[in-house]
Amino acid sequence: MGPEWVAIIALVALFVVGTLLPINMGALAYVAAWLVGMYALDLDEKEILGGVSGDLILTLIGVTYLFAIARNNGTVDLIVRTAVKAVGGRVALIPWVMFAVTAVLTGIGAVSPAACAIIGPIALGFAGRYGISPLMMGMFVVHGAQAGGFSPISIYGVITNSVMEDAGLPTSEITVFLASLVVNTVMAAILFVALGGRKLMSMRIDPDEEDTLDDDLHRGGATVPARGYGTSAPTGTQAQGVRRDQVLTLVAFVGVAVIALAFDKNIGFVAITAAVILAMLNADEHKDAVKQIAWPTVLLVAGVSTYATILTTAGSPEFVGNWAAGLGAAAIGALVLCYVGGVVSAFASSTALLPVIIPIAVPLIADGGINAALFVAALAVSSTIVDVSPFSTNGALMLANRPDSISEPVYYKQILGYGVAVTLAGPLLVWAALVLPGWGS
């Protein structure tokens, strides 16, 4: 058995074990990298560890550290509160506010499950209160997380762009970001029409109730008995004013984006510098923020990127890519890879999958005349829109925070049905829109 097959079998094994058992896939990937590297490729430990991207790890740490500070000082609550107030009593806009806020959070660096965990309870609480479909509201949160998930300073975006650069592919940060943004927005629009969004357009929140929405935010969107308008009315406190540290945090996020993108500076260094400055301004409040860095994600990405290098060294990406290219048409091979990404990610980690599946596309791009940015965008979107599945972290979070108005078995079947539909149709539609027409090839 050749080393490319050994590496592929080990990859399948670590995804299966990581899906069935509560073990960080990054830790499993380190074990697989060590065993395959030493005994199938005859590499030493230094060569095995040479695949870790210090730039990528620093970016993950810096961005999630900055987001932890924003969560600690109430900046995240401020963003949500401001967005909800902006609906002006229009119930139909509440799902879109939840979509937009979650997109903003992932777009500025929140890990997708973290953003869903923050906004999900609030959104589903509003669903129970105002008669909005829980399936629509929950999936709006997940699609919102993926809509902003590929911004140039987001976790997914940084991973995707770094892997493309390491694989020698031409990068196009805006193309990948806009592809995910547009696809997920379209999915949300379809859900809105199909699940009763038009009926919500005639509903309004009583002006006297708008001032009490903050209590809903603080209680995670819990409901109270209904009155008037066919809705429930919370009782709570008035909105808090904007504090100086929250303004500084918002400025910091804008500054990170401008400095990193306009002046082409390393996002990791810029983000961690901004986080340290904010921490120094209020050291006592943020002394534990470093504990909130997404360390499981850091381990996941570090381990999987290490194993991705082992795969490349073994020649597995070229092997699979050449097989896909040999199917008769490069476009058909691209469709197969989009489905591989979608099906695997529906049960496993999208973050772990991206560093593995993008290098596999290199032979197709090189030999098939496929536009690199659009193909990678199709792979990225196909591998993340399926996070609506109840077997993924994001989908499971929506299930766990269901409103009392719907039973868990019913809600589970709804999410499962939608997840199956997206997994079956999503990769095909994304491929048909981005790859099949041959844009820019």
Side-chain angles (χ1 to χ4, degrees):
M1 184 183 294
E4 68 277 2
W5 272 111
V6 174
I8 290 172
I9 292 172
L11 175 66
V12 173
L14 75 88
F15 269 110
V16 170
V17 174
T19 301
L20 297 178
L21 299 177
I23 302 174
N24 187 294
M25 207 171 294
L28 293 170
Y30 267 125
V31 174
W34 184 54
L35 295 177
V36 175
M38 289 192 66
Y39 299 108
L41 299 174
D42 197 26
L43 301 176
D44 60 36
E45 281 89 346
K46 288 185 178 180
E47 291 173 317
I48 293 171
L49 292 174
V52 179
S53 172
D55 175 75
L56 179 56
I57 300 304
L58 174 62
T59 298
L60 291 175
I61 292 173
V63 169
T64 57
Y65 185 22
L66 180 58
F67 182 78
I69 289 176
R71 185 166 49 195
N72 280 356
N73 64 18
T75 302
V76 172
D77 288 339
L78 172 65
I79 294 173
V80 176
R81 186 169 63 243
T82 302
V84 171
K85 291 288 187 180
V87 303
R90 298 175 180 86
V91 174
L93 294 181
I94 292 179
W96 291 105
V97 167
M98 298 298 113
F99 178 94
V101 171
T102 315
V104 168
L105 295 183
T106 55
I108 62 178
V111 181
S112 180
C116 288
I118 292 169
I119 304 302
I122 299 170
L124 289 167
F126 281 130
R129 174 183 299 275
Y130 297 115
I132 302 170
S133 164
L135 178 63
M136 177 173 70
M137 190 67 100
M139 297 303 97
F140 259 58
V141 172
V142 179
H143 281 305
Q146 310 305 14
F150 285 91
S151 83
I153 62 171
S154 69
I155 301 299
Y156 284 160
V158 168
I159 293 173
T160 301
N161 296 320
S162 297
V163 172
M164 288 182 70
E165 186 175 348
D166 292 342
L169 298 175
T171 59
S172 180
E173 299 172 344
I174 300 301
T175 298
V176 178
F177 169 52
L178 289 179
S180 184
L181 176 64
V182 171
V183 168
N184 282 281
T185 303
V186 170
M187 297 289 286
I190 293 172
L191 279 172
F192 185 82
V193 173
L195 297 178
R198 288 173 294 182
K199 294 181 180 178
L200 300 177
M201 292 181 179
S202 61
M203 296 177 61
R204 293 290 187 272
I205 301 173
D206 189 323
D208 293 335
E209 296 179 19
E210 291 186 41
D211 291 334
T212 65
L213 287 176
D214 287 291
D215 188 56
D216 228 17
L217 301 179
H218 293 308
R219 293 184 290 114
T223 59
V224 295
R227 74 175 184 199
Y229 284 88
T231 67
S232 304
T235 57
T237 57
Q238 298 292 322
Q240 299 175 354
V242 181
R243 303 198 311 267
R244 175 176 170 273
D245 58 346
Q246 294 170 340
V247 173
L248 292 176
T249 303
L250 292 172
V251 171
F253 276 119
V254 174
V256 168
V258 171
I259 294 173
L261 300 178
F263 297 96
D264 196 25
K265 299 299 180 183
N266 183 282
I267 295 175
F269 278 121
V270 177
I272 203 167
T273 299
V276 167
I277 292 173
L278 291 173
M280 291 174 64
L281 293 174
N282 198 339
D284 289 337
E285 180 180 2
H286 301 307
K287 62 182 179 181
D288 292 329
V290 70
K291 298 178 182 178
Q292 300 173 41
I293 293 173
W295 294 116
T297 301
V298 172
L299 173 59
L300 173 67
V301 172
V304 172
S305 63
T306 299
Y307 192 76
T309 300
I310 295 297
L311 278 173
T312 301
T313 304
S316 300
E318 290 84 0
F319 178 79
V320 176
N322 289 331
W323 169 80
L327 293 175
I332 299 301
L335 176 61
V336 170
L337 290 185
C338 285
Y339 266 107
V340 169
V343 172
V344 172
S345 185
F347 297 92
S349 168
S350 303
T351 310
L353 183 64
L354 291 173
V356 175
I357 199 167
I358 292 175
I360 294 175
V362 173
L364 278 173
I365 294 170
D367 301 331
I370 298 176
N371 181 278
L374 290 175
F375 185 17
V376 170
L379 282 175
V381 175
S382 297
S383 300
T384 53
I385 58 171
V386 296
D387 284 356
V388 296
S389 160
F391 306 115
S392 72
T393 303
N394 290 349
L397 282 168
M398 297 307 105
L399 179 62
N401 288 287
R402 63 176 178 81
D404 294 336
S405 59
I406 185 170
S407 68
E408 183 173 349
V410 171
Y411 196 38
Y412 171 77
K413 289 180 180 179
Q414 290 180 353
I415 296 179
L416 178 61
Y418 181 66
V420 169
V422 172
T423 303
L424 291 177
L428 175 63
L429 297 177
V430 171
W431 168 82
L434 298 179
V435 178
L436 185 60
W439 309 112
S441 59

